[in-house]
Amino acid sequence: MRFAVKEIREKAGITVKELSEKSGVSTEIISMLEENSTDTCNSKVLCDIADALEVTVDKLIV
C-alpha cells in the first residue's frame, strides 16, 4: 500500500511537525507513511491525518 501523505501535506504548505500537532499523530508515524516504509496503518491514524489535512481518507491511499 502506498500513501500520498507527503504530497498532500506539501500541497497544504505545512511541515511534518505542524501536521503532527494538528492531527495528534507522532512525527515518526507521519514520516513512516510519507516514506512508505510501513505496509499497515491504523484507521484512526489515517482519519486523524485526513481530518488535519482536510481531505477524505481515500485521498491518502494511492
Side-chain angles (χ1 to χ4, degrees):
M1 189 177 313
R2 185 176 172 286
F3 300 98
V5 175
K6 183 175 184 175
E7 293 85 352
I8 296 169
R9 176 185 60 75
E10 288 178 341
K11 187 175 181 181
I14 63 174
T15 66
V16 171
K17 184 177 179 186
E18 290 169 327
L19 178 55
S20 174
E21 291 169 354
K22 200 171 179 183
S23 67
V25 176
S26 74
T27 56
E28 181 180 12
I29 292 174
I30 293 170
S31 293
M32 287 174 61
L33 291 170
E34 288 191 351
E35 296 166 7
N36 293 295
S37 61
T38 182
D39 290 332
T40 60
C41 186
N42 179 313
S43 60
K44 169 118 173 63
V45 168
L46 289 178
C47 287
D48 291 344
I49 291 172
D51 287 346
L53 292 171
E54 300 179 2
V55 298
T56 57
V57 172
D58 65 307
K59 299 288 185 197
L60 298 179
I61 302 169
V62 179

